[in-house]
Amino acid sequence: MTASPHSTVAPEADWDTAPGLLDGAKELTLGPAECNLAYWITQVAQGTLRDRGVTGHHDSAEVPAFLKEPGPLREALVLEFGFRALSEEVATRILAPYVAIAPGIGELEFYATQLIDEARHARVFRNHLVELGMPEATLLRDIEEMAVDYHREVLQPVIDFTLDIVQSRRDFAGGVAVFAIVIEGVLAPAAELSERKWTPLSPATGEISRGTAIDEIRHLTVASTILRDHVRAHPEYRPRLMEILRAGVDLWDSIDDRRFVIHREELFQQGMTQHAGLIGDYEIWPGTRLLDTTPNQRYDMAERWTDEMAASRMAYMGLPVEVLSSTSPAGTSPAGASPAGTAGERA
């Protein structure tokens, strides 16, 4: 009996060869024709997630004992993954109308797989909290309680804005713009930052962030292709798209998510100082040791990455990056000049 040839995984989906999220989101070109349901089954479920499908990390990637004990580092991780779990759950629910109004089978299959991706992200973030010692029986309620202000002040405005476009107006292209540019605008930088800062401290945590980042490369690049092709085929839609993007900028100018992020980063700062010996000379970005960074520096770097990635994506779609500039007076926008970010990924 002849053995089946060994299946290969696409470089962008392979755990060992996939680029970092920032490089991948800026440089790769993917579309719904490639990233269909068959791609997701063979390249993601059987590729990226091989040996990591249950927890999001390999069994050999352990959670260190100090993250299971009370302290600022554990508190920082509980807040980060708690908020991200809730936000990914929200993203999963928001994506259902995208599948319902998708104009073609390619778009339908892609957004069906993205819906599953977001549900998986929420699940592995929740599971990791259990690995840290949070009681599974009350986990959903505990997350809801810790994020009540965040849900009201950050998530709910994003939910309302998105559903008005994709559900009430049934504007698929507008919905793609909202999710890919307005909602996910800061997802890549924040997820990249999470992976970089946790990797030297907790192999399991770093791997969970790595796996979600590989998914986000696909989400961002495919959505950009959908929008590019739609504007090319329907140039009359361009003014409407500009209107949606400007409304997204205004939305994020009105939301103060920074206070949630900085609070968590301050806890991380305290915790990493306590474990400086474990981190050593590890560089969070070229030329800069993690131990030499501050909460504000890390937040500001994520904002800088956001601007760089947005410029690249907008150029690919043939759209002016200036439309993403803040319309509020300098210094009043909590998100700077950046349009947005998935709430849980920013926070």
Side-chain angles (χ1 to χ4, degrees):
M1 184 174 182
T2 304
S4 300
H6 178 68
S7 62
T8 58
V9 178
E12 74 275 2
D14 187 276
W15 189 272
D16 297 318
T17 64
L21 204 162
L22 296 181
D23 290 338
K26 289 191 293 184
E27 298 171 6
L28 286 178
T29 300
L30 297 169
E34 302 103 316
C35 297
N36 54 25
L37 184 57
Y39 175 99
W40 187 87
I41 293 170
T42 59
Q43 307 301 309
V44 181
Q46 297 174 354
T48 308
L49 301 179
R50 184 183 297 123
D51 299 324
R52 295 177 172 89
V54 176
T55 63
H57 63 81
H58 198 278
D59 288 344
S60 62
E62 300 181 348
V63 180
F66 62 79
L67 280 179
K68 300 178 182 180
E69 301 294 333
L73 205 57
R74 180 181 183 276
E75 186 176 352
L77 183 52
V78 166
L79 286 172
E80 178 177 337
F81 273 33
F83 283 16
R84 292 180 76 180
L86 181 60
S87 299
E88 296 284 6
E89 178 190 335
V90 164
T92 305
R93 297 179 186 278
I94 286 177
L95 281 169
Y98 286 70
V99 178
I101 67 171
I105 295 300
E107 295 88 350
L108 180 149
E109 289 194 357
F110 171 70
Y111 277 102
T113 64
Q114 182 170 341
L115 187 152
I116 294 296
D117 286 337
E118 309 295 6
R120 185 189 76 82
H121 298 172
R123 182 181 181 86
V124 295
F125 290 145
R126 290 194 303 266
N127 179 80
H128 199 47
L129 297 181
V130 175
E131 292 182 309
L132 298 182
M134 291 188 68
E136 187 171 5
T138 61
L139 184 63
L140 295 178
R141 183 172 71 247
D142 292 341
I143 291 174
E144 189 173 319
E145 290 176 355
M146 80 169 73
V148 62
D149 291 340
Y150 185 71
H151 190 285
R152 182 183 65 253
E153 297 175 27
V154 179
L155 288 179
Q156 195 59 53
V158 173
I159 294 169
D160 295 341
F161 180 76
T162 306
L163 291 183
D164 175 63
I165 293 172
V166 74
Q167 192 171 61
S168 299
R169 306 189 189 195
R170 298 180 67 82
D171 181 351
F172 180 78
V176 173
V178 169
F179 213 98
I181 300 174
V182 178
I183 298 180
E184 290 189 312
V186 193
L187 184 150
E192 180 91 353
L193 182 63
S194 178
E195 178 185 350
R196 292 187 187 195
K197 75 182 187 184
W198 287 110
T199 291
L201 290 163
S202 171
T205 309
E207 284 206 359
I208 291 170
S209 291
R210 164 73 169 162
T212 59
I214 292 174
D215 288 340
E216 301 305 346
I217 294 173
R218 185 170 64 259
H219 300 167
L220 291 166
T221 54
V222 173
S224 296
T225 297
I226 290 174
L227 280 176
R228 182 202 63 180
D229 293 349
H230 185 78
V231 172
R232 284 179 177 177
H234 303 279
E236 72 279 4
Y237 185 77
R238 186 184 179 95
R240 168 62 178 156
L241 179 57
M242 296 299 99
E243 177 186 335
I244 290 172
L245 295 179
R246 291 190 187 98
V249 173
D250 291 342
L251 171 68
W252 279 101
D253 281 354
S254 70
I255 295 174
D256 181 11
D257 71 322
R258 185 178 184 120
R259 70 183 182 91
F260 296 99
V261 180
I262 292 299
H263 172 60
R264 190 184 66 238
E265 288 298 331
E266 288 173 345
L267 290 169
F268 180 86
Q269 191 80 12
Q270 297 173 34
M272 78 169 185
T273 301
Q274 295 173 0
H275 297 278
L278 184 61
I279 298 172
D281 292 328
Y282 172 84
E283 294 186 352
I284 190 169
W285 52 78
T288 302
R289 299 193 318 157
L290 174 57
L291 288 174
D292 294 332
T293 62
T294 67
N296 284 319
Q297 284 176 320
R298 293 191 294 274
Y299 183 94
D300 291 342
M301 180 56 78
E303 290 290 288
R304 176 180 168 185
W305 290 339
T306 298
D307 293 340
E308 293 174 358
M309 194 180 69
S312 176
R313 292 202 319 276
M314 294 293 279
Y316 171 75
M317 291 183 286
L319 301 174
V321 71
E322 292 77 18
V323 74
L324 300 182
S325 297
S326 173
T327 58
S328 62
T332 63
S333 169
S338 305
T342 291
E345 310 300 348
R346 284 180 73 99

